[in-house]
Amino acid sequence: MNTIVLALIILGLVGAVSSIILFFVAKKFQVFEDVRIAQVEEALPAANCGGCGFPGCHGFANACVSAPSLDGLLCPVGGNQTMQKVAAIMGRTAVESAPTVAVVRCGGTCDHRPRTSDYDGVKHCFIAHNLYSGETGCSFGCLGLGDCEVACEFDAIHVNPITKLPEVDEEKCTSCGACVKACPKLLIELRKKGPKSRRIYVSCRNEDKGHIARKSCDVGCIACGKCEKVCPHGAITISNNLAFINDDACKLCRKCVEVCPTNAIVELNFPPRKVKEESLV
Amino acid sequence: MKTFKMGGIHPSENKLSAGRPIQLANIPKQVVIPLSHYIGNPSEAVVKKGDFVKVGQLIGKANGFISANVHASVSGKVNKIDVQLDASGYKRLAVFIDVEGDEWLETIDRTPTIISECLLSREEILKKIQDAGIVGLGGATFPAHVKLSPPPGKKAEILIINAVECESYLTCDHQLMLEKGEEILIGVSILMRVLDVKQAAIGIENNKKDAIAHLSKLAEKHTGIRIEALKVQYPQGGEKQLIDAIIQRQVPSGRIPIEVGAVVQNVGTTFAVYEAVQKNKPMIERVLTITGKEASNPGNYLVRLGIYLASVVEQAGGVPANTGKIVGGGPMMGRSLMNLNVPMAKGSAGILFIKAEESLRKPIQNCIRCTKCVRVCPMGLEPFLLMNQSERNMWPEMEKNRVMDCIECGSCSYTCPSNRPLLDYIRFGKTTVGSIIRNRK
Amino acid sequence: MEKLIISPAPHIHGGDSVKKNMTAVLLALLPALLVGFYFFGLGALIITLTSVISCVLFEYILQRYVLRIETSISDGSAAVTGLLLAMNLPTNLPIWIIVIGALVAIGIGKITYGGLGNNPFNPALVGRVFLLISFPAQMTSWPLPTPFSSHYLDAETGATVLSIIKSHLGELPSTLSLFLGNMSGSMGEISSAALLLGLLYLLLKKTISWHIPISILSTVFVFTALLNYFKPDVYASPWLHMFSGGLMLGAIFMATDYVTSPMNPRGMLVYGFGIGIITVVIRVFGVYPEGVSFAILIMNGFTPIINTYIKPKRFGENIK
């Protein structure tokens, strides 16, 4: 009986002393943090993808609270909805920004771009890129080894085993930009999603001169300049033997798609064209 | 017998072309001279389309200190300046010349007489070396004048000549030593004069006994030059390993050889220095080994820069039928080539045909932690760990584990019983960590 | 010309493989196995076959039908585990116990962690220690060595040298007969001579480096010699400790297991030192007469820490 009482007393004393020590330690080392940081973090999607440019969601919440205004701060995963929630917490207004999505700017499938050598190293784009220009004649095109697939936290980009090109799942893509950083050939770009997900872009990054580009790939941009001339909105520029469509100026008229001789300009999610009457004849 | 102290492997030597005399390569109708090399800035073209150039004429001017001049290796008309796939696997700028005759610059001394006297001052010699566009011929193609100009406050004590040729198959340096021994030794004494050192050591692996004997006999006439026979072990030709083997000093991590008082130059470079200083001949050709287990006629060829490798290979009997892979350089550090339509560059030491059945890598298995990679690493690193960290993008940890010390010799991948691509991943990590470090500065 | 193959350097491979290493270990175990067959006859043959076959079979079944992955039995690592397990068992052990041991060794010791290369503990030792704790009676009745005996379960039993030392009962055999293996014990551990022959082979083939076996053996020798020097009447001579029990087998074949030992020479020395100390402490001061298995398993647990904090000697490290 005595032992039990003694044990109780000793344990009780140890507990009491420890709690007092803990109390003072907590007081002394207390870190002050703005309560709003926790609230903002609560509103964020907690993906910790780093797509916003800050280290994780906590970093972004911290930035939102400490910045004077919410301009230029965007959680690409949550989009406008999340930013409005954040703005409500902060008592500010969020700037509406157009949603973007990742596009792969290479159309060189196995059919269009014949292989000229066999790569037998690690299946890793960066390693292959450091070694040489790639299995095909085009030294700008996709290597198809799937660094983007590994980088994607949202399971939104996959290399198609038949075409050996990555394909973006628009539903899942949060446009966090991880694949953009992962691609050693700089093929992936974040573009405006566009109304009803309709987009037009040049699906090529080949900066070789026209005849060289043509030799290595059927659907490469040969910088003929037809699209630049036909574009009524001045959205297309050609530099370094490569056309680029500025998505801020593009009005989705699809004229460039029609004139492109190599089909390097790609339209997405448009309804099928009306068949012109004269071609029916 | 001397050798380096850590790690190392001994692949089968396969020196098939040893003892084959150096032959002149035929000059085709067109040559393509690359303006860039692996290290340093590409040089700027100083000729334009339609210009007539003579052999030895400057066509590309060095751009910055770490860059080298490029000279015409043939005479003829400049056809165009355009991109050309080169041995690096990428398209880069090159000068295309249509060959017309074989007209040399008048200043170049083409007589076979050996000139041993050199009374030029240090600066004059350095200027000549720099003007001649000489780069290290060991493979890294680092401009030679950079290494010969030690940073202020540093003084070289010894000049080490790398005549190790530790890569299997290659014999170009070996044959050069047998045929141009006297010229090499004069080149060495010129370099000693530049560096103001009293002694020089030529390190040769013991599988080249004839070269050791030949040079030892010739070296008796030159004061301060000694020949060091070294135990056969790869990667003895690594700069740090060679210094360790010859003067038993280890260059600390992240430092350069001059800090332990040594300057290393390749034996081919010394011959080029001789030609540049004594004969006014810029760097327009080098010896190339064409070899392979099934090559019909392995041999050594003196090839002008810019000649398509395909043309030299044709002269040497063509590509063997059963070839799966063509390597530019040695089997351990060379680069595999996409095709033979690439021009000869200053760094090309060999063309190696690998049989189809030996070309493919074996399937990768789990790491069994046998520590063989740690045992063979000449830099005392842990390749298995670096590979794991590289796979997981753990860059700060890799830096802590001294990935930047890696000399990319490939001993780890060579020895791994599970066929793991250790060096592939380590090289990836090294590149990434290197750029992180550069951005930090 | 066909499409050429492009890959990063190096373009040649030394030709070493997992299979070659495992075959080397199996060959190195051969002398000790033959001595086991000689002294224990039929029983030795039965437990060896049972253990090796069931280990390989379990690996095949688990990988093929449970995990549905490619099987790795052809690399020989399961056979090595099976043989090492058999070497660690008394030769009068019933077959069903051996099969349980094999299942634990392969199933729990190896496959659970992801197969060869990922297991933190030596699988054969996991199997053996599991059996030792679960079936203490069967696992500690040691048959007497009788050349070419045809007895299996009914073999005459006797005490091991270490239990004689521990209990001070019975007469100790001469050091020479210990060295050659004429004593009771597990099938493979009795003959130090045969095991040392195996060590020699492994060192010549460069399958293992000398660091682990030599550091274990020298630590045990020095430690027991010190004890023996101060109190010769209480503590046995170092030679007895060296040649008895599982020390040789453990130091040469179990502790040097690639997967579970440290990855650089310095770490290996620390690891070997730890095993030596723990072995002697268990043998001399503990309840069990033998402690090599426990010592190795304990140090296996420390291997990741050793790997993290003890790095190999770097190039240029000793420059002032």
Side-chain angles (χ1 to χ4, degrees), chain B residues 372, chain C residues 20-21 24 27 200-208:
Chain B
K372 285 189 180 177
Chain C
K20 277 188 187 165
N21 284 302
L27 278 176
L200 205 64
Y201 177 76
L202 289 181
L203 289 180
L204 283 179
K205 286 277 279 184
K206 293 193 176 168
T207 308
I208 59 171

Side-chain angles (χ1 to χ4, degrees), chain B residues 83-152:
Chain B
V83 289
Q84 160 71 36
L85 182 80
D86 66 11
S88 69
Y90 276 92
K91 289 178 190 140
R92 304 191 193 192
L93 274 186
V95 179
F96 290 63
I97 302 176
D98 291 330
V99 181
E100 286 172 24
D102 195 24
E103 215 175 304
W104 290 57
L105 277 189
E106 293 74 28
T107 48
I108 299 172
D109 176 7
R110 294 180 67 194
T111 55
T113 33
I114 294 171
I115 309 165
S116 42
E117 280 278 278
C118 176
L119 299 168
L120 297 171
S121 73
R122 180 178 180 276
E123 282 71 26
E124 283 168 326
I125 300 175
L126 260 183
K127 176 112 189 4
K128 276 195 162 186
I129 292 175
Q130 191 169 357
D131 286 346
I134 295 178
V135 298
L137 294 183
T141 64
F142 198 75
H145 64 268
V146 180
K147 271 206 231 167
L148 293 173
S149 328

